[in-house]
Amino acid sequence: MSEPIIRVQGLWHVYMPMEQLALKDVNLEIYPGEFIALVGQNGSGKTTLVKHFNGLLKPTRGAVIVNGKDTRNASVSELASTVGYVFQNPDHQIFAETVREEVSFGPKNLGFDSNRIKETTERVLAQVGLSEYIDEMPFTLGRGQRQRLAVASVLSMEPSVLIIDEPTTGLDWGESVRMMELVRTLNEKGHTIIMTTHNMAIVALYAKRVCVLRLGEKILDGPTSCVFKEVEKLKTAFVSPPQLFRLSDLMQAHEFDDCTVDGVTRYFLRLLKGE
């Protein structure tokens, strides 16, 4: 097995001066090419944890090692070539006057030459389906398009790890699927994806691994299908598995073996009758 691209070792984080404990002894290893979802209720520590991966936050105690580099001794700009961070609200990230300028800003700051900046900008805009808007003002785009632009502006710095904070917030189901299909494609092309979300349907459809946080502690970590079977532990973190997983477990518990529409209907009629 390859070395983890991110290694979290006994991580504690306390927000000062309030002395608010946000993370408590978190240990986690993330390997190249993974697609992992971090889930938990608001205040569980998800965003605090991922902000340690690109140096936005430093450990109060413990360590975070990214691609062999201790984040305590690295700046955000140093880590940007490995870890890209897409914020929950794209409007907090977008600032340039044109789509072209927005996407080319990161490569310019990393010292790419002009030819590489042009090639990279055009390539990532094609990846996210925004090539035709290259000279448009970002805030004339729709919400889903601005979210994809935020992804493009991070991709242009060519990170191997992509953190996406609540990628479907504010999007309808169609836009959510378009966004997540883009993320899936990036993962298939080799990007390590770390996603925070409250949307368990999205987790079930796309994430290969799930890490559950509760009050700053990691309580579950494993393949998505396995984690969603830990119903009682999930309840303590105020996480509810998607209905499909609950239905699957219920059917297995009753040795259900007829997956036709008529079979499912008969099964639930028997349940309603108490048979």
Side-chain angles (χ1 to χ4, degrees):
M1 180 179 287
S2 61
E3 285 292 308
I5 194 164
I6 296 175
R7 178 181 279 120
V8 181
Q9 301 172 318
L11 177 63
W12 294 66
H13 189 82
V14 178
Y15 284 107
M16 301 298 287
M18 308 87 71
E19 297 187 355
Q20 178 186 351
L21 179 62
L23 294 173
K24 181 180 178 182
D25 197 24
V26 175
N27 293 280
L28 182 68
E29 291 184 345
I30 299 174
Y31 290 85
E34 286 205 278
F35 192 141
I36 180 171
L38 301 178
V39 306
Q41 68 178 145
N42 289 336
S44 63
K46 303 186 301 295
T47 299
T48 298
L49 177 58
V50 296
K51 283 184 175 179
H52 282 79
F53 298 166
N54 71 340
L56 286 174
L57 292 175
K58 303 293 185 182
T60 302
R61 192 193 315 169
V64 178
I65 311 298
V66 175
N67 204 22
K69 187 176 295 184
D70 191 325
T71 61
R72 291 172 295 189
N73 306 317
S75 66
V76 174
S77 59
E78 286 178 280
L79 296 168
S81 59
T82 300
V83 180
Y85 192 116
V86 181
F87 289 89
Q88 177 177 346
N89 187 341
D91 297 343
H92 294 166
Q93 189 168 337
I94 294 169
F95 65 92
E97 293 186 5
T98 68
V99 167
R100 184 194 306 273
E101 291 172 358
E102 184 69 38
V103 176
S104 64
F105 178 81
K108 285 178 181 176
N109 278 276
L110 291 179
F112 290 16
D113 64 45
S114 58
N115 287 334
R116 187 178 174 189
I117 291 171
K118 181 177 183 297
E119 185 277 327
T120 300
T121 298
E122 292 175 355
R123 173 170 49 80
V124 299
L125 283 174
Q127 275 185 282
V128 302
L130 293 176
S131 296
E132 64 186 288
Y133 303 99
I134 192 166
D135 292 316
E136 300 293 325
M137 295 179 61
F139 286 102
T140 64
L141 303 179
R143 177 64 164 76
Q145 291 172 319
R146 297 199 305 279
Q147 188 80 329
R148 283 184 277 138
L149 176 58
V151 172
S153 68
V154 171
L155 284 177
S156 66
M157 292 181 281
E158 302 181 349
S160 56
V161 179
L162 192 62
I163 299 170
I164 309 180
D165 197 358
E166 298 286 353
T168 61
T169 297
L171 303 182
D172 62 26
W173 182 249
E175 281 285 2
S176 294
V177 170
R178 281 190 284 275
M179 168 58 64
M180 293 310 304
E181 285 300 311
L182 166 62
V183 175
R184 190 211 296 270
T185 298
L186 294 171
N187 180 240
E188 290 171 349
K189 290 183 176 179
H191 288 274
T192 303
I193 303 296
I194 303 168
M195 169 179 71
T196 72
T197 184
H198 289 92
N199 190 326
M200 294 304 110
I202 290 294
V203 173
L205 286 171
Y206 293 98
K208 299 171 187 174
R209 175 182 168 194
V210 177
C211 176
V212 184
L213 297 177
R214 180 188 62 197
L215 299 176
E217 295 185 77
K218 185 182 78 172
I219 64 166
L220 286 169
D221 183 6
T224 303
S225 58
C226 295
V227 168
F228 278 151
K229 289 180 180 179
E230 298 286 345
V231 177
E232 294 306 314
K233 276 192 176 182
L234 290 171
K235 283 180 182 178
T236 68
F238 299 94
V239 172
S240 179
Q243 291 182 349
L244 182 61
F245 277 85
R246 298 202 299 272
L247 175 60
S248 174
D249 283 347
L250 183 63
M251 291 164 74
Q252 288 177 22
H254 288 77
E255 298 181 349
F256 186 85
D257 58 4
D258 186 351
C259 291
T260 65
V261 172
D262 286 344
V264 173
T265 302
R266 287 195 299 271
Y267 170 74
F268 280 107
L269 284 175
R270 289 200 303 273
L271 285 183
L272 289 171
K273 292 177 183 178
E275 297 178 2

